[in-house]
Structures are given as C-alpha cells and as structure tokens.
Amino acid sequence: MSDIKSAFEIAMEKVNRMSEPTEEERLQWKYTPEGEKLAGRFLKEKVNLLAEINEFDETARKYVAGGAAAVLARNIALPKTDFIKQTNKKMMDGLKLLKTDKTALENNFSKIRYIFNHYEEQGEQQKKQAFESLKEEFEDKIRQAIQQQTGTRMNTKIDVEKQPQFQAEWKRVQTQIDNQYTRHLNEYVRELIEMA
C-alpha cells in the first residue's frame, strides 16, 4: 500500500523534473501580457502604439509588440457589418506599425482582402440563394402537412420566416456558409501572428 502516491506527490515529482525557465521565457511571460493590454487600449481608444511600445526598454519591446500584434490579428473578422469593417482596418493599420516584414505582411493582407471581397460579393449571393431555397422547402413542407391534415391543397402564401424551426435552420445555414470563409481567414490570421 505504501507504493500508492497521492496526487500531490505526483504533482510535486513533475514540478521537480521541470527545468528552470529561460531568460527569454521569463521576458515573454512578463511582457507579452503588457502588449496584449496595449492592444486592448488601442482597440478602445486612440493610442499611439509605437510611442507606447518605445516606453519599454529594448529587450522588452519585442515581447510587448508580439503580444499586441497577436491581439490585433485575432480581432480581424469577416466583414459582416460596417463596424467590423472599421475594426478590421484599424487592426491592419496597427499591424503595419508592429510587423517588420512589410512585404510578407502586405501579401498576407492581400489574401485577407480577397476573402473579404469574396465574402461580401459571393457570400451574400450564396446566402440569398440559400435563403430562398430554404424558404421554398419550408413552405412546401407546411403545405404538405396541411394537405395531409385537411385533405385539401392550400395555395395561399405562407410566411415561414417567423417560424422558429425556419429561423433555427436559417441560422445554421448562415453559420455553415460563414465557416467556409472563417477557416481561410483563421489560416491567414495564424500566419500574421507568426510573422516577424
């Protein structure tokens, strides 16, 4: 029975086997959150990113900028509203200040803009077609159900858009369409985060 170790003993053994963090890891743990906070302020108010980053000593700047850039990149989203479009522009402007590889950054932004344009043009068209198709399908199902119950064919217009089942299915279809674009966008956002 003495062979059985408590969870605490097992955890302490793991802690003892861990190596000391490197100086770089310590700096990253200390200054990346500062950059994340700075990006949060940049999102909410007018903040001069470069001036704020330059207030840190030279060794910390890299980590502060990295933390800020990661938050800015993760806040880029599909342009569903004008507000999101403005936010995307602000995030990209902030990243232009923080990233050093301007060519790679602009190449990445071109891919992101392509997704945005495609989403606004083709995505909207896909949604309109899907909406009409779904609406027609629901109207047919309701007509068939009424015909089975009453024995007569109903030719009046049915407003299915207010039906909870229709709304739930429409939301699912919209999410499915958006997810096609989001997958590609997330890939480019990951590239942004990893970029110098």
Side-chain angles (χ1 to χ4, degrees):
M1 286 298 258
S2 63
D3 294 355
I4 298 175
K5 296 179 182 177
S6 70
F8 176 76
E9 289 171 323
I10 294 170
M12 288 308 297
E13 284 177 5
K14 287 182 181 180
V15 166
N16 290 333
R17 284 193 303 258
M18 290 174 59
S19 61
E20 281 290 312
T22 64
E23 185 60 27
E24 185 166 336
E25 287 172 327
R26 286 189 181 127
L27 289 169
Q28 187 175 8
W29 295 339
K30 182 176 181 179
Y31 291 111
T32 298
E34 294 297 322
E36 292 168 348
K37 289 179 207 169
L38 176 59
R41 288 195 359 252
F42 179 76
L43 285 167
K44 295 175 186 159
E45 53 195 71
K46 196 150 181 104
V47 172
N48 183 333
L49 277 176
L50 290 180
E52 295 276 335
I53 290 172
N54 285 331
E55 289 181 14
F56 289 90
D57 66 50
E58 195 171 331
T59 56
R61 285 184 199 140
K62 168 180 147 184
Y63 303 104
V64 175
V71 169
L72 296 179
R74 284 193 301 265
N75 274 282
I76 295 174
L78 291 177
K80 296 179 183 181
T81 65
D82 287 338
F83 177 76
I84 294 173
K85 287 178 192 177
Q86 291 170 353
T87 302
N88 285 341
K89 183 183 178 336
K90 188 171 186 177
M91 298 307 100
M92 293 166 100
D93 289 345
L95 286 165
K96 284 178 187 175
L97 297 171
L98 298 175
K99 295 293 183 176
T100 54
D101 189 346
K102 305 299 184 194
T103 304
L105 181 66
E106 199 47 52
N107 288 337
N108 185 285
F109 283 171
S110 292
K111 295 175 194 175
I112 289 173
R113 285 187 205 102
Y114 177 80
I115 289 174
F116 289 171
N117 290 336
H118 199 278
Y119 177 78
E120 290 182 306
E121 294 165 10
Q122 303 299 316
E124 270 315 300
Q125 190 175 345
Q126 287 175 318
K127 285 181 182 181
K128 284 177 185 173
Q129 289 171 347
F131 181 83
E132 290 305 319
S133 176
L134 186 65
K135 187 175 169 183
E136 212 173 278
E137 183 183 320
F138 265 77
E139 286 173 353
D140 287 346
K141 284 181 182 178
I142 291 174
R143 279 195 186 93
Q144 286 175 0
I146 291 172
Q147 186 175 358
Q148 285 177 347
Q149 288 179 350
T150 63
T152 58
R153 180 110 174 104
M154 188 177 129
N155 289 327
T156 60
K157 188 84 171 142
I158 300 170
D159 187 10
V160 295
E161 292 177 40
K162 293 186 175 118
Q163 299 294 320
Q165 297 92 341
F166 175 83
Q167 291 174 357
E169 184 62 17
W170 173 233
K171 190 173 205 139
R172 188 189 68 72
V173 168
Q174 282 180 301
T175 301
Q176 194 174 25
I177 291 169
D178 285 353
N179 283 344
Q180 296 170 16
Y181 293 94
T182 302
R183 273 195 305 277
H184 292 292
L185 180 60
N186 287 342
E187 182 182 320
Y188 299 136
V189 165
R190 271 192 300 278
E191 287 176 17
L192 275 175
I193 293 170
E194 294 169 5
M195 190 180 297

